[in-house]
């Protein structure tokens, strides 16, 4: 069985004081967890994570990265800076980046490649809007988004990515895809990965994100192709985040 992975995406939240309490709470409550876990935090707090989490079972990472190497790109953060702070994961293509920063699937693919080249794991986000779901184009949309990344990777590297299916209409809304709805999309994504590389199809972790909470996490993660969660709001409270981690079978 693939190991489950639960990743907290703090989005643009945090303060040094609040982070210290949250991180200590998560570390203190991990005993007996069967899932791997990580937090993806705003870049200014990566040093704090490195200090608080080094040697613990909690990995850390960033929420975005430049597709470019170091250089004259004011305001950007390149992949080698993230490895400098011990990051294991980098979220790429989150729907909030696609929507508010006009990130194309092509740019997301280049970012995923930059993350891999730096020795980290990209968490590649895909997901449809409500209008796209209602138009019946969910599979077409997520396949196109994932396909842009797969097209840029040699088959041997496909196994090194993590995918997150995050229906845009379920993010921060309290609306969750039912386990069956999510499973159907996850199975499609897995088939698409397997078509590129059979071994990767079997091993790549596909996370679900979108209002995953302590009370629905177990049922979602019990689905055969749901390998964990990418958690927004519930990752900001140690108790809720831990409850989701412990809900992994
Ligand atoms: P919520 O869990 O707050 O719905 O956010 C999901 C998400 O976007 C995680 O990346």
């Amino acid at each position: 069985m693939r190991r489950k992975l639960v990743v907290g995406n703090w989005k643009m939240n945090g303060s040094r004081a609040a982070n210290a309490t949250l991180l200590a709470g998560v570390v203190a409550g991990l005993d007996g967890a069967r899932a791997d876990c990580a937090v993806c935090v705003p870049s200014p707090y990566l040093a704090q994570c490195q200090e608080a989490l080094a040697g613990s079972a909690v990995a850390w990472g960033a929420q975005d990265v430049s597709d470019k190497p170091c250089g004259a790109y004011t305001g950007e953060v390149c992949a080698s800076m993230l490895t400098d702070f011990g990051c294991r994961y980098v979220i790429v293509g989150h729907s909030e980046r696609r929507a508010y920063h006009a990130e194309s699937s092509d740019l997301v693919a280049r970012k995923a490649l930059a993350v891999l080249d730096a020795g980290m794991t990209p968490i590649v986000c895909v997901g449809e809007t409500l209008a796209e779901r209602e138009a019946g184009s969910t599979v077409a949309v997520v396949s196109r988004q994932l396909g842009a990344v797969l097209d840029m990777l040699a088959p041997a590297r496909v196994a090194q990515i993590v995918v997150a299916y995050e229906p845009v209409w379920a993010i921060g809304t309290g609306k969750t895809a039912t386990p069956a709805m999510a499973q159907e999309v996850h199975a499609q994504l897995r088939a698409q990965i397997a078509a590129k590389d059979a071994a990767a199809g079997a091993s790549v972790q596909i996370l679900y994100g979108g209002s995953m909470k302590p009370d629905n996490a177990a049922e979602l993660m019990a689905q055969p192709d749901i390998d964990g969660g990418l958690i927004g709001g519930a990752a900001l409270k140690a108790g809720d985040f831990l409850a989701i981690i412990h809900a992994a079978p």
Side-chain angles (χ1 to χ4, degrees):
M1 193 177 85
R2 287 174 298 276
R3 272 185 80 79
K4 302 287 185 196
L5 171 64
V6 177
V7 180
N9 172 11
W10 289 7
K11 309 195 179 188
M12 198 170 72
N13 292 292
S15 67
R16 285 190 69 85
N19 303 344
T21 307
L22 176 54
L23 294 172
V26 172
V27 170
L30 272 181
D31 272 2
R34 292 166 296 272
D36 293 328
C37 77
V39 289
C40 288
V41 307
S43 292
Y45 297 131
L46 288 171
Q48 186 182 12
C49 282
Q50 189 171 32
E51 206 167 295
L53 300 177
S56 81
V58 186
W60 61 95
Q63 300 169 9
D64 185 36
V65 67
S66 172
D67 64 318
K68 305 279 195 307
C70 298
Y73 301 100
T74 302
E76 295 287 287
V77 172
C78 63
S80 63
M81 296 171 180
L82 301 180
T83 55
D84 226 3
F85 286 93
C87 290
R88 183 180 306 170
Y89 296 102
V90 184
I91 298 172
V92 295
H94 192 281
S95 62
E96 289 151 17
R97 301 290 317 170
R98 293 180 192 260
Y100 307 144
H101 301 271
E103 290 197 4
S104 66
S105 289
D106 187 57
L107 175 61
V108 172
R110 291 200 305 276
K111 290 184 174 196
L113 201 56
V115 172
L116 286 169
D117 283 345
M120 298 177 289
T121 300
I123 300 175
V124 178
C125 297
V126 301
E128 82 286 5
T129 62
L130 185 57
E132 288 163 341
R133 173 161 283 270
E134 286 174 350
S137 46
T138 297
V139 170
V141 169
V142 299
S143 303
R144 202 164 52 234
Q145 291 171 337
L146 179 60
V149 175
L150 296 181
D151 285 350
M152 222 177 271
L153 298 182
R157 301 191 86 179
V158 176
Q160 297 164 14
I161 69 171
V162 168
V163 174
Y165 169 55
E166 297 207 316
V168 177
W169 49 269
I171 295 176
T173 59
K175 291 186 191 142
T176 321
T178 64
M181 279 160 86
Q183 165 59 28
E184 191 182 348
V185 178
H186 282 231
Q188 293 277 354
L189 294 169
R190 188 171 304 291
Q192 187 181 0
I193 296 165
K196 172 99 185 193
D197 183 78
S203 69
V204 165
Q205 291 165 310
I206 307 179
L207 314 183
Y208 170 79
S211 299
M212 194 188 267
K213 307 283 181 207
D215 63 0
N216 60 23
E219 210 189 346
L220 284 159
M221 287 193 279
Q223 299 298 312
D225 290 300
I226 300 184
D227 305 313
L230 183 55
I231 319 299
L236 298 175
K237 290 185 189 146
D240 285 359
F241 190 51
L242 284 166
I244 294 172
I245 294 167
H246 287 288

